[in-house]
Amino acid sequence: MARTFDVVVIGAGPAGYIAAIRAAQLGLNTACIEKWRTADGQYALGGTCLNVGCIPSKALLESSENYERTQHRLAAHGISVSGVKFDLQAMLERKNQIVRKMTGGIAGLFKRNKITWLQGHGRFVSGGTTWKLEVVGEQGSEAIEAHHVIVATGSRARHLPGLEVDNRIVCDNEGALAFDAVPPRLGVIGAGVIGLELGSVWRRLGSKVQMLEALPSFLGAADEAIAQEAWKVFTRPGALEIELGVGVGAVQRSASGVRVDYTTADGKASVLECDRLIVAIGRVPNTEGLGADQIGLKIDARGCIEVDKNCRASLPRIYAIGDVVRGPMLAHKGEDEGVMVAEIIAGQHGHVNYDAIPWVMYTMPEIAWVGKTEQQLKAEGVAYRSGRFPFAYNGRALGRDEADGFIKILADAATDRILGVHAIGSLASELIAEAVVAIEFGASSEDIARICHAHPSMAEVMREAALAVDKRSLNG
Ligand code: FAD
Ligand code: NAD
């Protein structure tokens, strides 16, 4: 007889494994199906985020930033260094160890919470009073049943039609996190978040990086002032070379690497030649082989599983969360959806505040925001006031020699309620947490302005930006 669970989660990325843990915490008999295998064939938990996404990319960003800082930024502190070298294999091994530690940690959490890990590919077979599923793994296939199913199958890299990704010369995120040597000339298609983060890693380690972006504007989702500042810093001489508004044509493997034919923004034919190429043009939701059509689960025009605001799919007792549904493809958005649906299944009132989800890019300077951009407020006809304060006037930023960038706060003109906070600068990823709390609690800019911030700290820039909304910054 088939094993029957209260909840079966398909996929153990950040959305799925958090949903499974929360469901188990709430006393539900929970299983999680995961098919991910490491290069040496071991099944692993953690999904894209832990294996080939957030965690390994941040490890390499940190290592490469340390190398660049040691080479170029210590002189300002009166420290001279010579003969600075790096060992790429050691850097990659450090990254791999962090990944192993984190994915192994989830296996431990599953054990502690008595979650059954079903290793293999999961798919729907049929419905009824329970959902019937099949798990196909190394040990063969197993039929299981579930009262509730949470689909958390995530996403994979979008590839260019007709261009084979071998993850050696032509790479998506997986290959780009594991180059065995620093490519002297690195091409990147797509100047979005993956292109900028991974382009930064390899540039710091010595690659000449050329990026081709289809859109005529840079970082379209960010606040325009932030995007302009980022453009200024990222494209300084010797930094990233980014061409906007290009039309990528034929991409061919050549004897020396890759040749990309493209048209420039003003319509001229041009060629990019590089040793390795990263294709970072967005991600596609994973729904193939899921048996969605077999049970009539609706998929929307963009390939996402159709869900309502509570992540309920089109069929009873089926939920979908994370990258496989609408909304930003961010690990923490999926985690929050995981908690929400587990609580709803357990009869509680789970919810996600989609207006308070932070975005972070771990470039240097970092970029982080929450809430509305200035261009969104203009388009919506909302009357707002804006306050902005630079890190260059902050003692801690100067002491750390990290004085690029600023924080900008947008507040409702009538109520002063904070509508958006936008930061570009060192530690923006950490500083944004204060703004997320403020938006979640419906705070005004006056609230932030009246909260005591430690001195000297980068966080004082948040307070000064809040004061600037009312044109009364104290230090600038
Ligand atoms: P995934 O993490 O993709 O996990 C889905 C899991 O489901 C996978 O393990 C897959 O094997 C499994 N699966 C799929 N189908 C089946 C099936 N039928 N049966 C069994 N198992 C199945 N986001 C951030 O918030 N911050 C970052 O810094 C960040 N950095 C990133 C860097 C890179 C290079 C990349 C590629 C992404 C990054 N992201 C980041 C995005 C983040 O990784 C995703 O938003 C997140 O992983 C989505 O979580 P998920 O659980 O929905 O899906
Ligand atoms: P993205 O959407 O951030 O950027 C893709 C870029 O490629 C866009 O600017 C797009 O205009 C461009 N593009 C698309 N087709 C093109 C073409 N044919 N030629 C040239 N340019 C083209 O996607 P991504 O960088 O692949 O990242 C995928 C997702 O992963 C992101 O949307 C994000 O949600 C997530 N992610 C998040 C983080 C983070 O939170 N720090 C880091 C990495 C990835």
Side-chain angles (χ1 to χ4, degrees):
M1 198 169 128
R3 285 195 277 177
T4 303
F5 298 91
D6 294 330
V7 178
V8 166
V9 183
I10 311 178
Y17 88 76
I18 289 291
I21 290 174
R22 187 71 188 118
Q25 281 177 346
L26 291 164
L28 298 162
N29 174 20
T30 305
C32 184
I33 312 173
E34 176 55 70
K35 65 177 177 183
W36 193 284
R37 296 225 208 178
T38 57
D40 55 5
Q42 303 294 313
Y43 281 104
L45 299 167
T48 304
C49 170
L50 273 78
N51 290 286
V52 291
C54 323
I55 299 303
S57 60
K58 268 77 255 182
L60 289 183
L61 279 156
E62 195 66 28
S63 297
S64 58
E65 177 62 18
N66 281 339
Y67 174 63
E68 180 160 86
R69 180 175 285 123
T70 309
Q71 271 189 313
H72 304 296
R73 313 270 300 270
L74 294 187
H77 296 264
I79 302 169
S80 49
V81 287
S82 58
V84 183
K85 288 192 213 136
F86 65 88
D87 174 343
L88 181 60
Q89 292 319 314
M91 216 177 256
L92 294 175
E93 186 43 35
R94 173 184 174 275
K95 172 209 68 165
N96 294 340
Q97 268 177 19
I98 295 170
V99 169
R100 281 195 292 271
K101 192 169 181 171
M102 298 286 296
T103 56
I106 300 175
L109 289 171
F110 271 23
K111 260 198 198 122
R112 199 179 322 147
N113 286 285
K114 301 191 173 46
I115 296 164
T116 306
W117 173 9
L118 301 167
Q119 299 179 335
H121 181 97
R123 69 176 187 94
F124 287 101
V125 176
S126 61
T129 47
T130 55
W131 291 107
K132 276 84 180 160
L133 297 108
E134 182 187 41
V135 185
V136 180
E138 213 171 50
Q139 309 301 328
S141 101
E142 181 185 354
I144 56 164
E145 295 187 23
H147 293 290
H148 302 268
V149 180
I150 302 173
V151 182
T153 47
S155 66
R156 62 185 185 282
R158 183 189 303 283
H159 291 167
L160 281 168
L163 176 65
E164 193 206 334
V165 168
D166 62 6
N167 271 328
R168 214 175 60 77
I169 304 295
V170 177
C171 301
D172 57 26
N173 56 298
E174 296 204 28
L177 286 162
F179 287 157
D180 54 3
V182 178
R185 300 166 306 164
L186 175 63
V188 181
I189 301 186
V193 59
I194 293 183
L196 290 167
E197 288 188 354
L198 296 184
S200 298
V201 165
W202 296 107
R203 181 198 62 71
R204 292 168 188 164
L205 298 180
S207 296
K208 173 180 153 59
V209 179
Q210 273 184 283
M211 306 180 67
L212 300 179
E213 166 58 48
L215 290 178
S217 59
F218 182 55
L219 288 183
D223 187 89
E224 272 169 11
I226 299 282
Q228 272 168 21
E229 178 73 9
W231 177 264
K232 214 170 68 193
V233 181
F234 294 164
T235 61
R236 277 175 184 161
L240 302 170
E241 284 177 34
I242 309 173
E243 269 192 78
L244 301 176
V246 308
V248 171
V251 184
Q252 289 159 300
R253 293 284 294 272
S254 65
S256 62
V258 187
R259 174 193 161 106
V260 182
D261 285 89
Y262 66 98
T263 48
T264 62
D266 50 9
K268 295 199 182 87
S270 195
V271 176
L272 181 156
E273 291 198 81
C274 54
D275 303 291
R276 300 200 188 197
L277 182 73
I278 301 177
V279 180
I281 56 169
R283 295 182 65 79
V284 189
N286 288 326
T287 56
E288 322 61 15
L290 188 61
D293 40 358
Q294 202 144 335
I295 56 165
L297 189 66
K298 279 194 195 154
I299 310 279
D300 72 18
R302 287 170 314 129
C304 298
I305 295 180
E306 209 172 278
V307 287
D308 69 8
K309 68 178 181 7
N310 291 124
C311 291
R312 286 190 175 88
S314 57
L315 295 168
R317 293 171 286 104
I318 299 183
Y319 299 78
I321 57 175
D323 280 13
V324 78
V325 302
R326 82 289 177 262
M329 289 183 165
L330 297 172
H332 42 281
K333 172 261 190 189
E335 291 180 21
D336 283 16
E337 289 177 336
V339 170
M340 169 177 73
V341 299
E343 291 181 350
I344 291 173
I345 290 169
Q348 299 188 354
H349 296 279
H351 108 123
V352 172
N353 179 359
Y354 288 97
D355 293 332
I357 293 176
W359 294 66
V360 176
M361 288 177 51
Y362 297 81
T363 44
M364 184 52 86
E366 294 180 345
I367 294 174
W369 74 86
V370 59
K372 303 273 182 174
T373 62
E374 199 159 342
Q375 59 269 26
Q376 280 172 330
L377 293 178
K378 279 184 185 148
E380 290 168 16
V382 177
Y384 63 91
R385 294 193 300 165
S386 167
R388 174 167 161 168
F389 200 81
F391 286 100
Y393 296 171
N394 174 269
R396 185 82 201 284
L398 291 173
R400 299 179 69 243
D401 196 28
E402 302 285 5
D404 276 332
F406 59 86
I407 297 181
K408 172 169 136 177
I409 297 185
L410 304 168
D412 189 281
T415 65
D416 193 35
R417 187 182 177 129
I418 296 175
L419 303 173
V421 177
H422 304 272
I424 177 166
S426 170
L427 300 185
S429 57
E430 302 292 330
L431 297 172
I432 203 67
E434 178 180 9
V436 178
V437 173
I439 289 202
E440 189 69 56
F441 285 9
S444 62
S445 74
E446 181 74 15
D447 289 328
I448 300 271
R450 290 199 176 273
I451 290 172
C452 186
H453 287 67
H455 175 76
S457 68
M458 307 282 279
E460 287 173 292
V461 175
M462 188 70 78
R463 183 192 209 175
E464 291 284 1
L467 284 162
V469 171
D470 198 36
K471 303 210 172 3
R472 56 186 173 95
S473 294
L474 294 165
N475 287 286

